[in-house]
Amino acid sequence: MTPFLAAHRSAARMPGSKPGPDSVYFLTMNKHTYMSEEWNRWLDSSLERGCRTEDIVAAMVASDYDAGFAERVVRERRDERARPATVAATAASPYKYGTPTIRHGASTIATGDRTVRVAMRFEQPVVALLDDVLSEEECDRIVALARHKLQPSATLSPTTGENQVKDHRTSQGAFLDKIDDPVLHRVNGRIAEIMNQPVEHGEALHVLHYGVGAEYRPHHDYFDPANPGFAGTLKRGGQRVATLIIYLNDVEAAGDTVFPKLGLSIVPRKGSAVYFEYVNEAGQLDEASLHGGAPVERGEKWVATKWVRQGVFK
Ligand SMILES: O=C(O)CCC(=O)C(=O)O
Ligand SMILES: [Fe+2]
């Protein structure tokens, strides 16, 4: 039996031509663009049996799915299944450094509309200090977009997965999502080029504001899968793999980004950024990426953080 027939043969057990009577679904020109639980199960079993992407898509289109939607869903699910599960490196199984994702080996990184300068690079862990990431005007625009959206910063509870406001993170923050702004689009595109990752793998840009005394104690940006509370966020595009923290202003005193395991301290400078990555191809998590925002002593501190996932962030 050809894989095409295999995909069709399973049509006998397909969930029906509609995505399910009890589920909301959307039609584009009368074509389905919603996956019910049943269809997701069918997709997984088709992939499990080794059906080809085009045959699965054809079977979905024959059941009135939108072709573009079906292609995207099958491709993303295939990628998701191919991803390594991540695990914290241990003394017995230390982190193995491979080829960095960022192309920071030269003195500059060229993007479509700006040349970013590499001011410092570190290989183990992979850390790069980058200058000229944003113009002064772009920094000001990002601050203006975030200012009225700020909320006390929360972190995800490792046990329950709920957002919690804690004193180890005393800043205010806002995700710049659902905003149609040309500067924000441009900045997100440039960040994807710098980080050498598809733009869709990035979470929405997150802006943080620290007043005097505010800090973000040392932490890892990845979600340790050993903690049950992180299961939900890990389904949204997989693990975080790299971070870019962009400084949106000059801080009068202190407020450095610190890497305690490296003895490294980055002084915030408007338009500059620090990049670091912490997952290798085998899915190991690099504990040396521990970092934090030291307390601001005078003035204020604004940063924009981009966290990038293994796959498309949903
Ligand atoms: O403010 C800083 O320097 C650190 C921010 C940070 O760690 C983060 O946004 O994940
Ligand atoms: Fe962080």
Side-chain angles (χ1 to χ4, degrees):
M1 185 165 47
T2 65
F4 178 76
L5 283 177
H8 270 287
R9 173 64 63 84
S10 65
R13 289 182 285 111
M14 268 177 175
S17 62
K18 285 191 178 142
D22 54 346
S23 50
V24 183
Y25 60 94
F26 305 97
L27 301 177
T28 318
M29 305 281 287
N30 292 329
K31 300 288 182 197
H32 304 311
T33 55
Y34 173 81
M35 293 293 281
S36 65
E37 279 305 305
E38 280 173 294
W39 273 95
N40 277 325
R41 274 197 298 276
W42 171 82
L43 173 56
D44 271 336
S45 78
S46 303
L47 291 168
E48 194 73 50
R49 284 182 294 118
C51 296
R52 297 188 312 175
T53 299
E54 54 266 46
D55 297 329
I56 300 173
V57 170
M60 290 175 71
V61 169
S63 287
D64 258 353
Y65 263 98
D66 176 77
F69 172 81
E71 257 175 59
R72 187 169 55 76
V73 164
V74 177
R75 191 170 20 84
E76 283 176 14
R77 187 66 189 136
R78 192 182 281 288
D79 289 351
E80 221 168 284
R81 292 167 57 93
R83 253 179 238 151
T86 53
V87 58
T90 59
S93 174
Y95 189 87
K96 286 203 186 69
Y97 291 94
T99 309
T101 304
I102 191 175
R103 299 195 185 100
H104 69 329
S107 57
T108 57
I109 299 174
T111 72
D113 62 348
R114 201 174 171 87
T115 301
V116 170
R117 289 187 300 135
V118 180
M120 184 280 285
R121 57 180 160 253
F122 219 86
E123 296 294 332
Q124 299 188 2
V126 177
V127 179
L129 176 60
L130 306 171
D131 287 339
D132 297 336
V133 172
L134 298 193
S135 69
E136 297 227 347
E137 295 72 30
E138 287 168 337
C139 290
D140 297 343
R141 179 70 190 152
I142 299 296
V143 169
L145 290 174
R147 198 179 276 282
H148 60 278
K149 289 181 68 153
L150 294 173
Q151 301 276 343
S153 294
T155 40
L156 274 190
S157 155
T159 41
T160 65
E162 304 206 331
N163 270 324
Q164 50 183 11
V165 176
K166 285 266 175 162
D167 60 3
H168 61 255
R169 199 173 176 191
T170 45
S171 52
Q172 292 202 305
F175 277 104
L176 299 185
D177 54 358
K178 305 185 197 91
I179 297 176
D180 196 13
D181 179 84
V183 174
L184 183 60
H185 279 297
R186 185 166 77 222
V187 166
N188 278 325
R190 189 182 305 149
I191 291 173
E193 286 186 88
I194 295 169
M195 298 179 85
N196 195 20
Q197 295 273 5
V199 74
E200 310 81 50
H201 289 203
E203 298 181 27
L205 199 61
H206 185 253
V207 175
L208 279 177
H209 177 242
Y210 302 78
V212 170
E215 65 178 322
Y216 190 177
R217 299 221 184 117
H219 61 278
H220 293 108
D221 283 353
Y222 57 73
F223 303 105
D224 188 338
N227 294 317
F230 295 148
T233 189
L234 285 171
K235 287 202 182 111
R236 305 183 65 191
Q239 183 61 264
R240 284 180 177 163
V241 295
T243 301
L244 184 74
I245 299 171
I246 308 173
Y247 303 104
L248 302 174
N249 74 326
D250 293 326
V251 184
E252 259 182 71
D256 293 12
T257 303
V258 294
F259 290 80
K261 297 203 170 181
L262 309 183
L264 176 67
S265 193
I266 312 280
V267 179
R269 185 153 297 135
K270 190 172 183 176
S272 293
V274 61
Y275 167 90
F276 48 101
E277 55 189 59
Y278 33 79
V279 182
N280 63 17
E281 280 178 9
Q284 284 182 304
L285 302 167
D286 189 359
E287 293 200 313
S289 65
L290 187 77
H291 64 282
V296 169
E297 283 173 17
R298 268 201 322 276
E300 58 177 350
K301 174 184 172 191
W302 288 90
V303 299
T305 301
K306 177 65 79 176
W307 293 295
V308 168
R309 301 282 184 134
Q310 290 171 304
V312 175
F313 181 69
K314 297 178 259 223

